Amino acid sequence: MGFSHILVAYDGGVPSIRALDTAIDFMQNNQAAQLTVVHVHSVAAIAIADSIVTVPASVQRDEFLQAQELLKEVDDKISFLLSARSVLLEGSPGESIVQYAAEQQCDLIVIGNRGLGAIREFVMGSVSHYVIQHTSVPLLLVK
């Protein structure tokens, strides 16, 4: 067996769907013992001058419900695997993924990459870029 615990970062986008499919292939080919799919829900905030304003509670609730629905879809997709689960985390996506992988002693992180150009990545940031820079866990980047 290749890996004892694979963590997949999932946001519902095409690259994360490919990352999940790759991890499922590892599981089906007995190259992993356990699979955890994480989705990170973060409370959006808007910076105005020197203040930070959070979005209204109703919007936050709707986003949280959407995150739960996204994980229900994941649960349906991985239900046939005996040792697979999904987890909803809250916080900064990159930081949450790195911290969770370390705490759970994952030995592989599988994450999708949108392939942003250098300028767009600098301006917008990139979860995969953050994870690459801050994790000590081996990482498989799926495009």
Side-chain angles (χ1 to χ4, degrees), residues 2 5 11 13 21 27 38 48-49 56 58 68-69 71 85 89-90 123:
H5 190 180
D11 67 3
D21 290 342
M27 294 290 289
V38 298
I48 302 173
S58 61
Q68 288 180 317
E69 284 299 316
L71 285 184
R85 66 187 177 122
L89 304 175
E90 189 170 322
V123 173

Side-chain angles (χ1 to χ4, degrees), residues 94 97 111-116 121 125-135 139 141:
I97 292 164
I111 190 168
N113 182 356
R114 289 184 288 159
L116 297 176
E121 184 174 308
S126 168
V127 173
S128 59
H129 185 257
Y130 182 92
V131 174
I132 289 167
Q133 297 298 318
H134 293 92
T135 190
L139 183 71
L141 198 60

